Amino acid sequence: MIKYIGSKRALLSHILAAIGAAAPAGATLLDLFSGTARVGHALKRAGYRVVSNDHNAFAHRLATCYVQADAERWAATAGRILADLQRLPPRPGWFTETYCRAARYLHPENGAKVEAIREAIAGLGAEPELEAILLTALLEAADRVDSTAGLQMAYMKQWAKRALQPLQLRLPALLPRPTAGACRALCDEAEIAAAAVECDLAYLDPPYNQHSYLRNYHVWETLVRWDQPEVYGVAQKRMDCRTRLSDFNSRRRIGPALTRTVAALRCPAVIVSFNDEGYLARAELEAMLAARGHVQVIEIPYGRYVGAKIGIHNPKGEKVGQTGRLTNVEYLFLATERRLSLPAPRAA
């Protein structure tokens, strides 16, 4: 799956263990801030009926592919189409000019290939699940040959070695439908989805500080929306990065927003993943969840994203300042009707 700040790849075992202690086998689970759909994909594999939600278009397509779409329905068809798309000749246009020349997220040869494939997908008129699989394959192929440190706030001064490799489409790792029932992917604001979905357990992994996922991955948003938006700045960000602002990226508004969202949930058990770099302190989150039942907290030491290890550089590529800490503490807050017997956490 794509490189993603806040990805829970290294924490999946802890999350699955906590959910396994709090929800019965085959339960219906809500993944309210689905991001790359890594957690939802793992939960579907574990046999749960999953409802994923994210308000960003690229994240919604990832969840449609990895959570909603079933392998037995789409794998063969998608595989054939991807083979045809791979053979298309490059077709440079607005995307290549904007994100490969005005900015340098992808090498122009790969950008032109991305553009040709994306235009072809747009012309297929495919069913939403099939289109999401094709777009996910394209997005992941582009991510494998990008020239960034993992965020699209900037790009490398010199082409990354992987950016010089040819773009290759791969069929995403689709899963069969779980016996618990069909899974779904929603594209709503968190508070709306929380009130709309009745489930056995809700898993919340909200943004926790100023870092906006729309701004961090604006190229992927454009690749999915295919809307040729007005852009600004050296990074060529979408203009709506200035207007589509989330309460969860605001120190002042995150507390009330998360309080409303938790209160709207229609389930007996809640798990919240949060970070010690977040705007809310552990005590605030414990108090917020206390109304829903017994609260337990798992602490997991967790390595920071690659940008923290690389450090801060000026426009000339010179390192400036000092690298900060390399390890955070990830918290899993569990609010349940009764105290649970939980496995001891290990460093992630």
Side-chain angles (χ1 to χ4, degrees):
M1 296 185 181
I2 64 170
K3 297 182 290 292
Y4 199 72
I5 185 172
S7 170
K8 292 302 184 284
R9 177 185 60 81
L11 298 172
L12 274 177
S13 61
H14 302 281
I15 295 166
L16 290 171
I19 289 174
T28 297
L29 308 182
L30 171 62
D31 181 6
L32 197 55
F33 301 85
S34 61
T36 62
R38 189 179 293 275
V39 171
H41 187 251
L43 294 174
K44 180 178 181 179
R45 181 188 289 115
Y48 295 104
R49 179 177 176 267
V50 183
V51 180
S52 288
N53 177 74
D54 202 291
H55 70 147
N56 287 322
F58 78 90
H60 175 241
R61 297 309 194 283
L62 291 171
T64 302
C65 170
Y66 281 119
V67 176
Q68 180 170 312
D70 298 322
E72 63 272 25
R73 173 69 178 88
W74 294 115
T77 299
R80 288 193 296 270
I81 296 173
L82 288 171
D84 291 339
L85 293 173
Q86 181 67 54
R87 290 189 286 268
L88 291 174
R91 182 180 173 182
W94 181 90
F95 184 90
T96 307
E97 183 62 34
T98 303
Y99 297 120
C100 309
R101 295 196 176 100
R104 289 160 56 93
Y105 296 106
L106 298 168
H107 190 277
E109 291 182 10
N110 280 327
K113 185 77 170 181
V114 166
E115 194 146 11
I117 293 169
R118 185 62 184 89
E119 284 288 349
I121 293 173
L124 288 175
E127 295 180 56
E129 290 182 3
L130 177 59
E131 182 179 70
I133 295 167
L134 303 177
L135 289 176
T136 295
L138 178 58
L139 192 156
E140 291 180 347
D143 183 69
R144 287 192 292 271
V145 295
D146 79 338
S147 193
T148 77
L151 302 179
Q152 293 163 357
M153 300 294 284
Y155 42 85
M156 299 293 192
K157 183 176 178 63
Q158 303 295 331
W159 290 113
K161 288 183 179 180
R162 65 176 177 272
L164 304 179
Q165 299 298 314
L167 183 103
Q168 294 290 330
L169 297 174
R170 301 175 188 168
L171 179 67
L174 304 177
L175 294 171
R177 178 174 295 187
T179 56
C183 301
R184 289 191 293 153
L186 307 177
C187 191
D188 291 324
E189 295 299 327
E191 190 175 345
I192 294 172
V197 178
E198 188 172 358
C199 57
D200 298 296
L201 180 146
Y203 169 75
L204 280 63
D205 180 17
Y208 54 82
N209 56 24
Q210 76 276 13
H211 296 297
S212 161
Y213 288 101
L214 175 62
R215 291 195 295 272
N216 283 346
Y217 302 101
H218 61 93
V219 179
W220 301 156
E221 187 76 359
T222 297
L223 181 57
V224 165
R225 288 182 178 270
W226 208 234
D227 53 357
Q228 297 191 14
E230 185 179 356
V231 297
Y232 68 94
V234 174
Q236 300 287 287
K237 290 194 286 288
R238 301 171 56 90
M239 193 62 70
D240 60 3
C241 288
R242 291 175 167 172
T243 57
R244 287 172 56 194
L245 305 177
S246 170
D247 287 343
F248 294 94
N249 295 129
S250 164
R251 186 183 296 274
R252 180 175 59 85
R253 299 192 300 274
I254 187 174
L258 190 56
T259 297
R260 293 192 305 269
T261 301
V262 169
L265 290 168
R266 301 167 59 195
C267 56
V270 178
I271 295 180
V272 177
S273 178
F274 214 76
N275 189 283
D276 68 346
E277 285 191 317
Y279 284 148
L280 298 175
R282 171 175 173 165
E284 293 176 279
L285 283 156
E286 289 182 281
M288 185 186 300
L289 292 167
R292 300 197 67 94
H294 189 86
V295 179
Q296 296 169 257
V297 185
I298 300 173
E299 295 186 12
I300 308 160
Y302 184 51
R304 297 183 73 202
Y305 73 100
V306 65
K309 302 174 184 177
I310 293 173
I312 301 170
H313 294 73
N314 66 21
K316 296 180 180 180
E318 300 165 337
K319 190 170 184 178
V320 296
Q322 297 296 317
T323 301
R325 59 178 178 159
L326 300 181
T327 302
N328 290 336
V329 175
E330 189 77 18
Y331 297 115
L332 290 180
F333 296 85
L334 289 78
T336 52
E337 295 173 337
R338 57 180 176 80
R339 183 176 180 82
L340 302 177
S341 177
L342 298 174
R346 305 180 307 277

